[in-house]
Each structure stands twice: as structure tokens, then as C-alpha cells.
């Protein structure tokens, strides 16, 4: 059976959006909107799996929305909304809590990293997080999920959940006229030279919102001076840049900066190395500052403008939520019929 092609992805409203979120995910969101029906979600229910200040969360939710728009996502063409406005995400997640196996969740590396040594004290939500993520995707029966490398395992879990649901309820799915499979198996789209952007201070660590040092990342809210300063201070090694990709092996900081340059320029790594092979980092960093500022400054000023207009942002979110809900409600009604949950039917 073939499913209508649809893209879904989400970003958490926790802390600053950074270059990793931009190059690993949002740039792809913008590209895909010309090819597919796309749904882009600010996942506030995921954010509260770790404590969020209730005075701060609405600002963060609006800021991620503003960043989507500032980066070029068209809220007319696509659906842009925040997760908590569409209750079906949480409703389907419960069904998935009953489909996914403990053993599957026990393998999730992100939970292990985030809960670290204090596992007993982690929220149940943090543990069940991947089931909610599967519900986000599958409540729209989405087929493609653009994400950075770190989310691959979660999208694979969503595939496992879809497959198990399709198998467990195969007879009921057929009996209700949905054919052989109700859910598609969503594909992660992890492409380009910056699927895993690393910290500017340690090329072996992922660039992350939660790193205590702001010098490890470039935020979308950083102005030109901050961007320049962070790139100039980025860790490097003493060798000049190689002219072949093989020369970047065991040089994680060099590899990262070349990947960032390639992604910002929209050209392959090989081409960047051809241009800068043999150059010192001082020369390369100057070019990287110019490129990063040229790409990010217009986003930064549009982001500032939009964050001053929360009423407009809220109208985008509520319009998007209405459109998302219409699709999600249809899926949820079908899931209830398939699972055998009695629901009110229109007369
Ligand atoms: P989040 O909010 O941590 O990150 C948002 C997106 O940015 C990507 N990303 C990176 N890409 C490259 N290099 C990095 N250093 C880097 N850091 C983050 C992430 O891979 C992600 O694509 N669980 C998700 C949110 C989510 C979701 C979903 C995604 C909830 N439901 C359904 C897709 C589909 C998360 O925490 O992303």
C-alpha cells in the first residue's frame, strides 16, 4: 500500500536554537516545503519532560516559531503549530505506550545520556519521550522526517512502533477497510554535510543547547560580533587544512568547521577543501566568519522583528493547530475503531 507523502518534524522550545538545529534540521525543513506537504511543530510537551519555568516556556515556544519563519518556512504553505494545542498527540502516545516494549525504550541512548547517573529521579515522561515522538509523526501518518543524526534512533523506534501496530491489529485494520497497513514506516531524512554539528570548543561533543558554555555554539539570536568572536575562539589544531577529506580524520575540530562551512555555503566538503587546502586556520576562519554572518544576520534581524509581535506568532500557531487537528482527529478516530475503543459517531 502506498501512503500520501508527508513531512513531519519537531523542535523543542528549550534554550536557544543554535547552528546545529539550523543546519541539521531547519535548513532541510525550508528545502522540503517546495516538494512536500510539511508539518513543522514546536514540541512543548517534549520540553516539559525536564522541568521548564512556566514563565519562560511561552517565550521559548514563540521564539522557535519565529525562528522557523525567519529561516524561511512559509506558514501558509505548511502547517506550523505547537504540539500541546493538538491533544491527539498525547492521546495517540498513550496507545503507543501500550504498543512499544520496555526493552525498546531501554535501548534509547538519548534517555541514558539525559538521565545520566540520576536515573531514579528522571521523569516518566523523559523515558516515554520516544513514544510521544512516534505519535507526533504517525498521528499525521507522515512518511518523511528530516532530523539531525542524533534523532535517528528515535525515528527508527517510530518505525518499529508503526510496524508492530500494523501487525498486532492487522485483522482489525483490514476489517475497517484500511487495507494491509494503517501506519506508514516513516523514513528519517538525514542528509548533507552538517547532520551532526559539533561543539566549537570540543569537536568530539555535539553542539547542544544545554552546554553551560555559550562559546560552544552559535545561537540564531547571536549578532554579527558574537558570531565572529565565537568562530575566532573556536578550537582548532596547529596543522593547515588538508586538501582531501581523508586528511580530516582524527582532526574533529577541523572536520567540524569544514562541515559547517560546506553546509552554510551549500557546497560539498570536497569543494571547500579544494579551495582552502593548505590554508592556515586564521585565513579559513576569516572566510567562515564572513559566510556565517552573511547567512545568519538576515535571519537574526527577522527573528528579532518577529519576536516583537507575539500576537502574530500566536495567530500562526492557532491557525496551524486548527489545520493539524483536522488531520490528527481523523487518524485518532480510525485508531480508536481499529483498537476497539467505543467513540461517539456523527449521526
Ligand atoms: P531537538 O529540539 O533537540 O533538535 C531539533 C532538531 O535539531 C537537530 N539537531 C542537530 N543537528 C545537527 N547537529 C546538532 N548538533 C544538532 N542538535 C540538534 C535534531 O536532530 C533535530 O532534528 N526529539 C526531537 C524533537 C521532536 C521530533 C519529533 C523530531 C519531537 N517530536 C518528531 C522529529 C519528529 C528533539 O529533541 O529535537
Amino acid at each position: 500500500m502506498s501512503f500520501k507523502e508527508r513531512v513531519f518534524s519537531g523542535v523543542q522550545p528549550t534554550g536557544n536554537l543554535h547552528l546545529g538545529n539550523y543546519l541539521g534540521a531547519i535548513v532541510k525543513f525550508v528545502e522540503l516545503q517546495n516538494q512536500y506537504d510539511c508539518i513543522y511543530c514546536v514540541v512543548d510537551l517534549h520540553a516539559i519532560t525536564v522541568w521548564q519555568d512556566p514563565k519562560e516556556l511561552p517565550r521559548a515556544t514563540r521564539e522557535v516559531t519565529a525562528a522557523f519563519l525567519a529561516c524561511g518556512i512559509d506558514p501558509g504553505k505548511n502547517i506550523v503549530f505547537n504540539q500541546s494545542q493538538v491533544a491527539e498527540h498525547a492521546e495517540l502516545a498513550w496507545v503507543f505506550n501500550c504498543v512499544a516494549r520496555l526493552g525498546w525504550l531501554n535501548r534509547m541512548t538519548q534517555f541514558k545520556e539525559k538521565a545520566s547517573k540520576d536515573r531514579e529521579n528522571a521523569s516518566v515522561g523523559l523515558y516515554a519521550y520516544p513514544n510521544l515522538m512516534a505519535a507526533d509523526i504517525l498521528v499525521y501518518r507522515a512518511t518523511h522526517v528530516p532530523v539531525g543524526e542524533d534523532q535517528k534512533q528515535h525515528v527508527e523506534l517510530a518505525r518499529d512502533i508503526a510496524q508492530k501496530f500494523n501487525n498486532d491489529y492487522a485483522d482489525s485494520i483490514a476489517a475497517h477497510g484500511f487495507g494491509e497497513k494503517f501506519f506508514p514506516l516513516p523514513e528519517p531524512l538525514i542528509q548533507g554535510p552538517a547532520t551532526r554539528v559539533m561543539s566549537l570548543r570540543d569537536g568530539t561533543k555535539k553542539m547542544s543547547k544545554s552546554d553551560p558554555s555559550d562559546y560552544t555554539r552559535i545561537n540564531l539570536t547571536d549578532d554579527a560580533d558574537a558570531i565572529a568572536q565565537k568562530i575566532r575562539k573556536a578550537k582548532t589544531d596547529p596543522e593547515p587544512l588538508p586538501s582531501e577529506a581523508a586528511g580530516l580524520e582524527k582532526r574533529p575540530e577541523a572536520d567540524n568547521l569544514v562541515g559547517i562551512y560546506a553546509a552554510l555555503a551549500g557546497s560539498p566538503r570536497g569543494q571547500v577543501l579544494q579551495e582552502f587546502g593548505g590554508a592556515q586556520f586564521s585565513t579559513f576562519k576569516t572566510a567562515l566568519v564572513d559566510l556565517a554572518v552573511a547567512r545568519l544576520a538576515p535571519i537574526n534581524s527577522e527573528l528579532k522583528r518577529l519576536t516583537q509581535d507575539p500576537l502574530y506568532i500566536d495567530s500562526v500557531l492557532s491557525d496551524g493547530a486548527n489545520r493539524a487537528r483536522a488531520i490528527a482527529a481523523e487518524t485518532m478516530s480510525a485508531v480508536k475503531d481499529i483498537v476497539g475503543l467505543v467513540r461517539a459517531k456523527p449521526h
Side-chain angles (χ1 to χ4, degrees), residues 12 20-21 129 133 136 147-148 150-151 195 197 206-207 209:
Q12 291 198 59
N21 301 126
Y129 177 117
M133 182 161 158
D136 298 337
V147 280
D150 63 331
Q151 294 300 317
T195 57
V197 177
K206 197 180 69 168
M207 184 179 285
K209 294 169 191 167

Side-chain angles (χ1 to χ4, degrees), residues 16 21 30 32 56 82 97 121 187 225 288:
N16 287 325
N21 301 126
V30 177
L32 289 163
E56 176 58 17
N82 60 312
N97 284 343
N121 204 27
E187 295 262 352
D225 285 347
L288 183 55

Side-chain angles (χ1 to χ4, degrees), residues 8-12 14 18 20-21 23-25 29 43 46 83 110 114 129 132-133 136-137 145-151 154-155 194-198 206-209:
F8 181 94
S9 197
V11 175
Q12 291 198 59
T14 45
H18 54 68
N21 301 126
L23 295 176
F29 299 178
V43 291
H46 277 95
Q83 188 183 24
Q110 195 148 336
K114 284 201 178 169
Y129 177 117
L132 177 60
M133 182 161 158
D136 298 337
I137 300 165
V145 185
V147 280
E149 180 67 40
D150 63 331
Q151 294 300 317
H154 287 160
V155 181
T195 57
R196 191 171 172 81
V197 177
M198 308 309 274
K206 197 180 69 168
M207 184 179 285
S208 130
K209 294 169 191 167

